[in-house]
């Protein structure tokens, strides 16, 4: 049997499990009040706020266990936390993570040492506070993903369910706080690549902050908020609305005639016919019309824009919503830049 340290270093779970229910995150009054007041993150941030750190420790307590709370005659919980602390000590080239730890070799102090270290936002051994926090998150959730699934850990018959729920809650909390990271396949990854975020999303937001684009901007931000909250059908609808609003704004500013009762497909045709895309480019962009007409409207129409009927609605995968969010940003950016170059 591999020791905890060896299993953690493997970095991948050994098998897949079925879908499980997500641990609930509660939509408290204070959260709703912030949304109403517009006090929400501007798409994604890449720091780990203290409130998120505290919530992550609560997830540890559920998944790994809390040594001062849970019955653990074999001391598996203390041992798991001590193994994690030992890995961090070794990798950071220190003998102890916290000077106030009474005994570095006593496993009973490992949980408190880890929690205090995680909550400390100071630079440690030249490591940025956010990178340090992500080190801890990745390592602990790798342990949850691998070690806690074993029945031999603390003899839980539903160990897989608890581990899956912990990982799902972590990723929900990232979205809830607007933090652009996610745990997947044994590692922390950025929800958006650096290129996509810097070259597409941020410039699109800058464009939508311009005078006259407030409706499109509001819809685009709502789409990201819905995505962070896991409301995928609503996110697709807001993407469609932002895309449609952008074209309507451009058509209105240019005094182009269009049927206000028509949808995105008709607006795309107007924009193309009016030379928003230069004529000498249209041959090279033969597929662009299809992308503009289908990439955003079609997922919305097929999966979010209609009632479910007698059959329950099919779940919308998060990767589809992520794709449509980026396609919306890229399309808005393309349309506005192309419009700015028209005479």
């Amino acid at each position: 049997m591999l020791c905890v340290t060896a299993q953690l270093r493997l970095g991948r779970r050994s098998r897949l499990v079925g879908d499980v229910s997500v641990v609930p995150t509660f939509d408290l009054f204070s959260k709703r009040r912030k949304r109403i007041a517009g006090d929400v993150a501007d798409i994604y941030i890449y720091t780990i706020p203290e409130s998120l750190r505290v919530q992550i420790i609560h997830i540890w307590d559920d998944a790994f266990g809390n040594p001062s709370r849970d019955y653990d005659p074999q001391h598996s919980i203390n041992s798991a936390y001590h193994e994690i602390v030992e890995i961090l000590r070794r990798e950071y080239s220190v003998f102890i993570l916290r000077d106030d730890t009474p005994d570095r070799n006593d496993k009973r102090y490992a949980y408190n040492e880890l929690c205090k270290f995680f909550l400390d936002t100071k630079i440690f051994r030249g490591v940025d506070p956010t990178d340090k926090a992500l080190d801890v998150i990745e390592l602990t959730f790798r342990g949850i993903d691998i070690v806690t699934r074993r029945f031999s850990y603390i003899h839980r018959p539903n160990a897989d369910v608890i581990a899956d729920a912990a990982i799902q809650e972590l990723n929900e909390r990232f979205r809830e706080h607007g933090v652009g990271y996610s745990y997947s396949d044994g590692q922390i990854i950025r929800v958006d690549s650096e290129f996509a975020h810097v070259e597409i999303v941020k410039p699109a937001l800058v464009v939508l902050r311009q005078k006259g684009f407030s409706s499109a901007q509001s819809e685009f931000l709502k789409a990201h908020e819905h995505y962070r909250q896991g409301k995928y059908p609503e996110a697709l609808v807001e993407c469609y609305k932002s895309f449609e609003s952008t074209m309507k704004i451009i058509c209105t500013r240019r005094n182009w005639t269009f049927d206000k009762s028509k949808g995105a497909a008709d607006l795309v045709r107007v924009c193309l016919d009016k030379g928003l895309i230069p004529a000498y480019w249209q041959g090279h962009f033969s597929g662009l019309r299809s992308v503009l007409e289908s990439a955003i409207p079609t997922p919305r129409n097929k999966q979010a824009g209609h009632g479910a009927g007698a059959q329950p609605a099919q779940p919308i995968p998060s990767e589809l919503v992520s794709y449509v969010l980026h396609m919306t940003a890229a399309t808005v950016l393309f349309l506005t830049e192309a419009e700015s170059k028209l005479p």
Side-chain angles (χ1 to χ4, degrees):
M1 180 185 299
L2 291 173
C3 68
V4 175
T5 301
Q7 293 180 63
L8 288 175
R9 290 187 185 280
L10 288 176
R12 308 244 179 213
R13 73 170 91 165
S14 59
R15 61 195 180 88
L16 298 175
V17 296
D19 294 335
V20 296
S21 299
V22 178
V23 173
T25 55
F26 295 95
D27 192 22
L28 300 177
F29 169 80
S30 57
K31 294 181 184 178
R32 298 195 300 274
R33 187 179 179 88
K34 282 185 177 182
R35 291 201 300 271
I36 292 172
D39 185 15
V40 294
D42 184 10
I43 307 303
Y44 293 116
I45 61 174
Y46 295 96
T47 58
I48 311 299
E50 182 183 7
S51 54
L52 175 56
R53 294 172 193 244
V54 171
Q55 289 173 328
I56 287 171
I57 291 174
H58 282 295
I59 301 174
W60 294 348
D61 287 352
D62 290 340
F64 270 122
N66 184 317
S68 64
R69 179 196 67 190
D70 299 321
Y71 179 69
D72 181 28
Q74 295 182 337
H75 306 293
S76 297
I77 297 173
N78 281 325
S79 296
Y81 285 117
H82 189 257
E83 293 275 10
I84 290 169
V85 167
E86 281 285 278
I87 292 172
L88 291 169
R89 290 172 180 170
R90 184 182 294 268
E91 295 305 318
Y92 289 137
S93 302
V94 296
F95 292 111
I96 203 163
L97 300 177
R98 295 278 307 184
D99 292 335
D100 56 0
T101 300
D103 184 348
R104 66 181 296 269
N105 295 313
D106 193 330
K107 296 179 181 180
R108 294 176 300 172
Y109 300 117
Y111 173 77
N112 286 335
E113 182 177 351
L114 181 64
C115 290
K116 290 179 180 178
F117 178 73
F118 183 54
L119 293 172
D120 188 349
T121 57
K122 299 184 182 69
I123 293 176
F124 183 79
R125 303 287 292 182
V127 179
D128 175 82
T130 297
D131 289 344
K132 182 185 76 171
L134 292 172
D135 285 345
V136 175
I137 295 169
E138 183 175 87
L139 192 58
T140 53
F141 278 85
R142 191 177 293 171
I144 290 170
D145 202 8
I146 301 170
V147 178
T148 70
R149 294 181 187 277
R150 300 180 66 90
F151 178 76
S152 60
Y153 176 60
I154 50 176
H155 303 98
R156 292 184 296 202
N158 59 338
D160 274 337
V161 172
I162 293 171
D164 284 335
I167 293 167
Q168 290 182 48
E169 183 180 356
L170 171 68
N171 289 331
E172 276 200 351
R173 295 297 183 186
F174 278 140
R175 287 195 297 269
E176 179 180 79
H177 287 269
V179 174
Y181 296 105
S182 177
Y183 176 88
S184 179
D185 296 314
Q187 64 182 3
I188 294 291
I189 59 173
R190 290 178 70 103
V191 172
D192 302 302
S193 70
E194 185 70 19
F195 178 84
H197 187 72
V198 172
E199 300 295 332
I200 300 174
V201 176
K202 282 190 173 181
L205 284 171
V206 170
V207 166
L208 293 177
R209 291 190 190 107
Q210 295 176 7
K211 184 178 179 180
F213 285 91
S214 59
S215 59
Q217 179 199 36
S218 175
E219 289 153 356
F220 185 62
L221 290 173
K222 283 180 182 178
H224 280 272
E225 183 180 0
H226 286 317
Y227 175 66
R228 291 199 301 269
Q229 296 172 359
K231 298 178 180 178
Y232 297 151
E234 292 87 346
L236 290 178
V237 170
E238 293 300 330
C239 282
Y240 176 87
K241 289 163 65 176
S242 180
F243 169 60
E244 188 174 87
S245 293
T246 300
M247 289 189 291
K248 285 183 176 179
I249 291 165
I250 292 173
C251 288
T252 300
R253 294 202 319 188
R254 290 282 169 173
N255 294 317
W256 294 341
T257 302
F258 65 96
D259 189 341
K260 295 182 180 180
S261 66
K262 298 292 185 179
D266 185 73
L267 288 164
V268 167
R269 283 190 289 272
V270 172
C271 290
L272 289 168
D273 293 339
K274 292 296 183 179
L276 190 61
I277 302 171
Y280 58 85
W281 281 2
Q282 290 189 19
H284 297 284
F285 286 87
S286 59
L288 182 57
R289 181 191 295 263
S290 175
V291 171
L292 293 175
E293 290 181 343
S294 66
I296 298 167
T298 299
R300 180 260 181 180
N301 290 335
K302 290 185 176 179
Q303 299 208 46
H306 301 289
Q311 298 296 324
Q314 294 297 314
I316 298 174
S318 60
E319 60 268 22
L320 171 64
V321 183
S322 178
Y323 168 78
V324 173
L325 282 167
H326 285 104
M327 183 59 69
T328 302
T331 304
V332 166
L333 190 60
F334 173 81
L335 290 170
T336 52
E337 289 184 347
E339 192 263 343
S340 70
K341 295 176 182 178
L342 290 177

